[in-house]
Amino acid sequence: MDFEIFTGSIATATTDCIIAGIAADNQLTPSAEVLNKASKGYISDILNEGDIQGKPGETLLLHRVPGVTAKRVLLLGLGAEKERHDRNHRKVIKAAMDKVKAGRFNSAMFALDDVASHDPDLYRQVRHLTEWAGAELYRYDETKSQKAEPLALTNLSIAVTADQSEVAEFAMQDGVAISNGVSTARELGNLPGNICTPAYLADQALELGREYDSVETSILDEAEMAELGMHCLLSVGNGSEQPSKLIVMHYRGGEANEQPHVLVGKGITFDTGGISLKPGAAMDEMKFDMCGAASVIGTMNAVAEMGLPINVVAVVAAAENMPAGNATKPGDIVTTLSGKTVEILNTDAEGRLVLCDALTYIERFNPATVLDIATLTGACIIALGHQATAVLANDDALAREILEAGEQAADRAWQLPLWDEYQEQLDSNFADIANIGGRPAGTITAACFLSRFTEEYRWAHLDIAGVAWASGGKAKGASGRCVPLLCQYLMNQAAEEE
Ligand code: BES
Ligand code: MN
Ligand code: ZN
C-alpha cells in the first residue's frame, strides 16, 4: 500500500475516488466546496435534494461528477463540530474505508481538510487518519485454506494545503509505522496457541532483529533462565511441552550511554489456568493471553520503523500454562530471581509469576522507565470494561505521562490506586508473598505483587485484559491495543530528550 500526501487541486486529481466531508445540516466543507464549484453546483443540488444530511459516517457515492477528474466522489458525513471527537472521527474513516473496499477501488484520496476532527492539531489528525484507514486494511487469513482476495486498493492519499504538507508527511509516516505495529500485534494475537508458541514469539523477535540494524534480539532458553535463578517464571511452563523463553530485544536509536526505556510483555501463549483449571466456556480466548507480548513486539516494530532517537529494551516473558503431572500445584513455593519466595496459591494467577522474574532481570539495563503490559486480570474487565487500559504505577508523574499519551493516541488508559493498604492481601504463612490477594481489588493486588519486584526504578503496569481483544461472535479478534499508547509514550520521551 502506497500512502501519499497530495497538495494539488483536488478537482483535477487522478484517483478512483475523492472523499470529501459534509458537515451537519448538509453544509459543504472546504473540499466539498471546491468540488461543488468545479461541478457548477452539482454537489449542492444533491444536498438540497436531501440525499445526505452530514451525520457522522453517512456516505453517498457519486459517479462522473462534471468538472471533476476523479472517477468518483464519496460524500462523507462528519457531523456537527462538537460531534467530531476521536470516536466519531474513527467511525467516519471506517465508513469511508468500507465503501472504498466494497467498491474495490484501486486508489482513493481523503480530502477532509482539517475539519473531520475537532482536534486542532493537524499532525494528529493526519496521523489518526492514516492509522485508522490502515487498520481497516488488516485481515486475518493465515489459518484459512481460502485466502482473502488481494486488496484492490494500492494507493491511499491525503489532500492537504501546501503549507500543511511538511507536517502531514511526518504525520503520515508515523501513522503508517504505528498502523504496521498494530497489525503486527493483532496478527500475533490472532494466531492460535498451537502455532504462536513461546518459540514462535522468539522467532518473530529474531526476525525483527534481522530486518532492522537498530534492533538486536537474543533469547534465553530454560537452561539459561534456570542458571540465573528465574524459577518463578519457569514454574509456569512446568506442565507444558512448549519450552519457555525470555525474549530480549534492544533498539538502539539514542546515544550508547543513554538509559533505555524498558517494555516488558506478558507472553502466555495459552492460559488453561494450569492445575487451577479455568472453566471451559470461551477458554479458546486464552490464546490472547500473549497480547501484552504482542503489543511490545508491535511497538518495537513501529519504533524501529520511525527510527526514534532513544534507546528501548523490550523483554517478553513467554510460557504456556498447562495442567500436567509435572505442573506446578496450588501451595507450591518457588524462589524468584530476586530471591523472594512465592506461594503459588492459584496456578491461574500465572502472569505475575512470569513478569516478576522478567522485571528483576531488566534491572541490569539501568532503565530510565519500565512499563509492563499484560492481560493480567479478569477483575480489570469488571472495573473498567472494554474501554480503558488500567494503569498502576510506583510513580505518579509516570502514570500521568501514560494517561496523557493514551489521550493523544486515542488509546485511552485510566489509573487505579496502588496504595500500601492493599499489600497485606498478599501475606502468606509459608512464603514471602502469596500470588493471589483474594477477590477484592484483583487488578490492584496483581499490581501490588509486581510492585514487590520493581522498587529499583520508575515503573508502571498496564493491564490490557479488557482492551486487547474483542470477545465472541463475529467481532472476535485482537485489537492491537495498546500499541498506539506505547508508541506515543516513547515518542514523547524522545521529544523530551531532544
Ligand atoms: N489471563 C488471565 C486474566 C484474564 C482473564 C484476562 C479473562 C482476560 C480475560 C490471568 O492469567 C488470570 O487467570 N487471572 C486470574 C487471577 C486470579 C486467579 C487471582 C483472574 O483474573 O481470574
Ligand atoms: Mn491465568
Ligand atoms: Zn493469564
Side-chain angles (χ1 to χ4, degrees):
M1 175 68 51
D2 282 330
F3 285 88
E4 274 171 37
I5 294 295
F6 176 84
T7 52
S9 153
I10 57 169
T12 56
T14 23
T15 174
D16 279 1
C17 183
I18 292 191
I19 302 159
I22 302 297
D25 305 321
N26 51 28
Q27 292 297 303
L28 295 169
T29 59
S31 284
E33 186 64 59
V34 168
L35 299 175
N36 190 47
K37 280 225 176 82
S39 65
K40 304 210 164 63
Y42 183 84
I43 309 243
S44 55
D45 284 351
I46 286 175
L47 294 183
N48 290 336
E49 293 293 332
D51 288 39
I52 179 167
Q53 276 96 47
K55 296 199 192 83
E58 232 187 326
T59 55
L60 182 66
L61 189 61
L62 309 175
H63 294 259
R64 284 179 293 185
V65 174
V68 173
T69 307
K71 281 192 194 161
R72 304 170 189 83
V73 170
L74 181 68
L75 299 182
L76 178 62
L78 305 181
E81 237 169 272
K82 67 171 189 312
E83 291 179 298
R84 298 180 206 163
H85 43 69
D86 288 338
R87 186 158 34 93
N88 272 344
H89 189 201
R90 185 163 191 160
K91 176 176 147 184
V92 160
I93 291 161
K94 180 181 187 306
M97 290 303 290
D98 283 347
K99 284 284 178 197
V100 167
K101 286 190 290 183
R104 300 197 49 76
F105 305 157
N106 297 123
S107 56
M109 179 180 294
F110 280 94
L112 300 178
D113 314 302
D114 43 13
V115 297
S117 159
H118 61 33
D119 189 337
D121 188 310
L122 176 79
Y123 166 88
R124 227 148 39 212
Q125 285 206 14
V126 173
R127 196 182 94 192
H128 284 160
L129 173 51
T130 310
E131 279 179 53
W132 296 340
E136 296 308 318
L137 303 174
Y138 172 81
R139 290 174 301 178
Y140 180 85
D141 65 6
E142 186 59 31
T143 43
K144 298 214 182 201
S145 64
Q146 298 285 35
K147 299 300 171 198
E149 248 184 88
L151 280 172
L153 193 70
T154 57
N155 184 290
L156 202 57
S157 47
I158 299 179
V160 299
T161 62
D163 61 318
Q164 292 174 328
S165 69
E166 198 181 341
V167 171
E169 285 284 355
F170 280 119
M172 181 176 256
Q173 275 171 27
D174 290 351
V176 168
I178 294 169
S179 162
N180 287 340
V182 167
S183 296
T184 300
R186 289 172 78 180
E187 186 71 5
L188 288 173
N190 287 333
L191 284 169
N194 61 330
I195 293 176
C196 186
T197 59
Y200 183 91
L201 286 178
D203 283 343
Q204 295 307 301
L206 287 167
E207 181 60 37
L208 194 62
R210 281 189 288 271
E211 205 177 314
Y212 290 97
D213 288 341
S214 56
V215 178
E216 188 189 332
T217 304
S218 55
I219 313 294
L220 270 67
D221 64 18
E222 290 189 341
E224 291 164 308
M225 287 192 273
E227 179 69 27
L228 286 170
M230 304 181 82
H231 303 295
C232 194
L233 187 156
L234 289 169
S235 74
V236 172
N238 276 352
S240 172
E241 298 285 326
Q242 299 294 336
S244 304
K245 306 280 178 191
L246 189 78
I247 302 167
V248 184
M249 284 170 277
H250 288 269
Y251 166 77
R252 295 190 176 90
E255 301 292 330
N257 60 355
E258 221 169 83
Q259 285 179 277
H261 296 278
V262 177
L263 307 176
V264 177
K266 170 178 172 181
I268 300 298
T269 58
F270 197 82
D271 181 12
T272 64
I275 297 298
S276 313
L277 193 65
K278 285 183 180 297
M283 204 209 268
D284 66 289
E285 293 187 8
M286 281 299 116
K287 73 173 183 179
F288 295 119
D289 212 15
M290 35 56 70
C291 282
S295 72
V296 164
I297 295 171
T299 299
M300 282 304 254
N301 222 316
V303 165
E305 193 175 330
M306 290 187 281
L308 291 187
I310 48 169
N311 296 325
V312 183
V313 179
V315 171
V316 167
E320 187 185 59
N321 188 20
M322 296 287 278
N326 56 348
T328 300
K329 306 170 291 298
D332 283 2
I333 293 176
V334 294
T335 303
T336 64
L337 176 60
S338 74
K340 289 182 176 149
T341 58
V342 174
E343 184 181 19
I344 301 175
L345 289 170
N346 188 320
T347 64
D348 198 10
E350 84 297 337
R352 61 198 79 181
L353 300 178
V354 296
L355 287 173
C356 71
D357 277 350
L359 287 166
T360 303
Y361 179 82
I362 55 101
E363 277 178 20
R364 69 191 58 209
F365 303 125
N366 184 26
T369 64
V370 179
L371 273 54
D372 80 74
I373 303 93
T375 50
L376 205 61
T377 60
C380 186
I381 308 174
I382 305 303
L384 296 175
H386 300 288
Q387 312 307 328
T389 294
V391 178
L392 301 99
N394 65 8
D395 182 307
D396 269 332
L398 176 60
R400 278 195 299 276
E401 284 180 54
I402 291 166
L403 298 183
E404 174 64 16
E407 286 294 335
Q408 294 170 322
D411 181 9
R412 288 190 293 185
W414 199 253
Q415 191 179 5
L416 296 178
L418 192 60
W419 297 324
D420 282 344
E421 283 82 344
Y422 293 101
Q423 291 283 354
E424 64 192 44
Q425 287 179 241
L426 295 173
D427 288 351
S428 160
N429 287 352
F430 306 109
D432 299 341
I433 178 174
N435 81 324
I436 53 170
R439 279 176 58 82
T443 302
I444 298 174
T445 54
C448 283
F449 182 93
L450 298 176
S451 76
R452 309 284 184 108
F453 303 88
T454 61
E455 282 161 0
E456 298 302 319
Y457 44 72
R458 295 178 71 204
W459 158 78
H461 161 63
L462 280 66
D463 195 332
I464 57 168
V467 300
W469 73 91
S471 291
K474 270 200 149 175
K476 181 155 71 183
S479 67
R481 287 183 72 181
C482 53
V483 171
L485 180 156
L486 294 175
C487 288
Q488 185 70 56
Y489 170 76
L490 293 171
M491 292 163 87
N492 292 352
Q493 299 305 314
E496 246 170 60
E497 276 167 36
E498 288 253 293

